[in-house]
mmCIF file of all heavy atoms in Angstrom:
data_model
loop_
_atom_site.group_PDB
_atom_site.id
_atom_site.type_symbol
_atom_site.label_atom_id
_atom_site.label_comp_id
_atom_site.label_asym_id
_atom_site.label_seq_id
_atom_site.Cartn_x
_atom_site.Cartn_y
_atom_site.Cartn_z
ATOM 1 N N LYS A 7 -28.103 27.073 25.066
ATOM 2 C CA LYS A 7 -28.495 28.365 24.415
ATOM 3 C C LYS A 7 -27.260 29.023 23.811
ATOM 4 O O LYS A 7 -26.075 28.751 24.203
ATOM 5 C CB LYS A 7 -29.068 29.312 25.489
ATOM 6 C CG LYS A 7 -30.424 28.779 26.088
ATOM 7 C CD LYS A 7 -31.004 29.801 27.064
ATOM 8 C CE LYS A 7 -32.266 29.276 27.711
ATOM 9 N NZ LYS A 7 -32.788 30.257 28.678
ATOM 10 N N LYS A 8 -27.485 29.953 22.937
ATOM 11 C CA LYS A 8 -26.388 30.679 22.314
ATOM 12 C C LYS A 8 -25.861 31.644 23.354
ATOM 13 O O LYS A 8 -26.527 32.430 23.949
ATOM 14 C CB LYS A 8 -26.854 31.483 21.044
ATOM 15 C CG LYS A 8 -25.741 32.113 20.388
ATOM 16 C CD LYS A 8 -26.302 32.835 19.122
ATOM 17 C CE LYS A 8 -25.142 33.541 18.336
ATOM 18 N NZ LYS A 8 -25.660 34.192 17.120
ATOM 19 N N SER A 45 -12.416 41.485 15.079
ATOM 20 C CA SER A 45 -11.571 42.518 15.600
ATOM 21 C C SER A 45 -12.222 43.362 16.717
ATOM 22 O O SER A 45 -11.570 44.039 17.435
ATOM 23 C CB SER A 45 -11.210 43.504 14.413
ATOM 24 O OG SER A 45 -12.415 44.000 13.848
ATOM 25 N N GLU A 104 -15.731 29.509 6.807
ATOM 26 C CA GLU A 104 -16.177 30.712 7.541
ATOM 27 C C GLU A 104 -15.025 31.135 8.541
ATOM 28 O O GLU A 104 -14.796 32.330 8.684
ATOM 29 C CB GLU A 104 -17.408 30.434 8.345
ATOM 30 C CG GLU A 104 -17.952 31.546 9.113
ATOM 31 C CD GLU A 104 -19.191 31.194 9.941
ATOM 32 O OE1 GLU A 104 -19.686 30.084 9.741
ATOM 33 O OE2 GLU A 104 -19.577 32.022 10.815
ATOM 34 N N LEU A 150 -6.133 35.525 1.025
ATOM 35 C CA LEU A 150 -5.438 36.490 1.923
ATOM 36 C C LEU A 150 -4.723 37.609 1.065
ATOM 37 O O LEU A 150 -4.916 38.763 1.417
ATOM 38 C CB LEU A 150 -4.302 35.727 2.690
ATOM 39 C CG LEU A 150 -3.423 36.623 3.537
ATOM 40 C CD1 LEU A 150 -4.199 37.364 4.667
ATOM 41 C CD2 LEU A 150 -2.333 35.743 4.206
ATOM 42 N N PHE A 183 3.677 34.908 -6.579
ATOM 43 C CA PHE A 183 3.752 35.295 -7.960
ATOM 44 C C PHE A 183 2.496 34.977 -8.742
ATOM 45 O O PHE A 183 2.003 35.759 -9.567
ATOM 46 C CB PHE A 183 4.994 34.778 -8.631
ATOM 47 C CG PHE A 183 6.293 35.434 -8.203
ATOM 48 C CD1 PHE A 183 7.397 34.618 -8.000
ATOM 49 C CD2 PHE A 183 6.416 36.771 -8.088
ATOM 50 C CE1 PHE A 183 8.603 35.192 -7.516
ATOM 51 C CE2 PHE A 183 7.587 37.310 -7.702
ATOM 52 C CZ PHE A 183 8.738 36.510 -7.401
ATOM 53 N N VAL A 197 -10.203 48.364 -15.236
ATOM 54 C CA VAL A 197 -9.720 49.670 -15.682
ATOM 55 C C VAL A 197 -9.699 49.732 -17.184
ATOM 56 O O VAL A 197 -8.926 49.100 -17.810
ATOM 57 C CB VAL A 197 -8.349 50.028 -15.144
ATOM 58 C CG1 VAL A 197 -7.973 51.462 -15.563
ATOM 59 C CG2 VAL A 197 -8.321 49.892 -13.607
ATOM 60 N N LYS A 273 2.831 5.186 4.177
ATOM 61 C CA LYS A 273 4.122 5.043 3.565
ATOM 62 C C LYS A 273 4.130 5.257 2.082
ATOM 63 O O LYS A 273 5.005 5.965 1.552
ATOM 64 C CB LYS A 273 4.761 3.628 3.901
ATOM 65 C CG LYS A 273 4.944 3.393 5.343
ATOM 66 C CD LYS A 273 5.599 2.023 5.543
ATOM 67 C CE LYS A 273 5.891 1.777 7.072
ATOM 68 N NZ LYS A 273 6.506 0.427 7.291
ATOM 69 N N ASN A 282 7.070 13.426 -6.081
ATOM 70 C CA ASN A 282 6.470 14.513 -6.761
ATOM 71 C C ASN A 282 7.283 15.874 -6.625
ATOM 72 O O ASN A 282 7.009 16.814 -7.322
ATOM 73 C CB ASN A 282 5.106 14.731 -6.285
ATOM 74 C CG ASN A 282 4.108 13.619 -6.788
ATOM 75 O OD1 ASN A 282 4.437 12.919 -7.711
ATOM 76 N ND2 ASN A 282 3.015 13.362 -6.035
ATOM 77 N N GLU A 460 37.417 68.134 -43.432
ATOM 78 C CA GLU A 460 37.449 66.865 -42.675
ATOM 79 C C GLU A 460 36.795 66.959 -41.331
ATOM 80 O O GLU A 460 36.388 65.927 -40.745
ATOM 81 C CB GLU A 460 38.989 66.500 -42.432
ATOM 82 C CG GLU A 460 39.695 66.177 -43.742
ATOM 83 C CD GLU A 460 41.188 65.932 -43.435
ATOM 84 O OE1 GLU A 460 41.551 66.008 -42.245
ATOM 85 O OE2 GLU A 460 41.920 65.646 -44.398
ATOM 86 N N GLU A 505 32.243 78.773 -24.863
ATOM 87 C CA GLU A 505 31.691 78.832 -23.427
ATOM 88 C C GLU A 505 32.729 78.403 -22.458
ATOM 89 O O GLU A 505 32.739 78.813 -21.297
ATOM 90 C CB GLU A 505 30.399 78.100 -23.308
ATOM 91 C CG GLU A 505 29.260 78.603 -24.193
ATOM 92 C CD GLU A 505 29.188 77.919 -25.544
ATOM 93 O OE1 GLU A 505 30.148 77.268 -25.909
ATOM 94 O OE2 GLU A 505 28.221 78.108 -26.222
ATOM 95 N N SER A 523 42.414 71.710 -17.527
ATOM 96 C CA SER A 523 42.668 70.355 -18.014
ATOM 97 C C SER A 523 42.364 70.249 -19.500
ATOM 98 O O SER A 523 42.967 69.331 -20.183
ATOM 99 C CB SER A 523 41.820 69.314 -17.178
ATOM 100 O OG SER A 523 40.481 69.505 -17.434
ATOM 101 N N LEU A 528 44.605 66.691 -26.142
ATOM 102 C CA LEU A 528 43.868 65.425 -25.889
ATOM 103 C C LEU A 528 44.007 64.453 -27.031
ATOM 104 O O LEU A 528 43.543 63.320 -26.858
ATOM 105 C CB LEU A 528 42.393 65.828 -25.655
ATOM 106 C CG LEU A 528 42.112 66.682 -24.436
ATOM 107 C CD1 LEU A 528 40.589 66.977 -24.322
ATOM 108 C CD2 LEU A 528 42.663 66.087 -23.212
ATOM 109 N N ASN A 593 22.970 119.489 -1.220
ATOM 110 C CA ASN A 593 24.073 120.187 -0.482
ATOM 111 C C ASN A 593 24.870 121.121 -1.388
ATOM 112 O O ASN A 593 25.223 122.271 -0.965
ATOM 113 C CB ASN A 593 25.027 119.145 0.060
ATOM 114 C CG ASN A 593 24.368 118.186 1.170
ATOM 115 O OD1 ASN A 593 23.355 118.682 1.828
ATOM 116 N ND2 ASN A 593 24.855 117.019 1.295
#
Side-chain angles (χ1 to χ4, degrees):
K7 298 181 181 180
K8 185 177 180 179
S45 59
E104 181 182 354
L150 174 63
F183 287 136
V197 181
K273 294 182 179 180
N282 288 337
E460 297 179 357
E505 296 90 351
S523 62
L528 298 179
N593 296 332

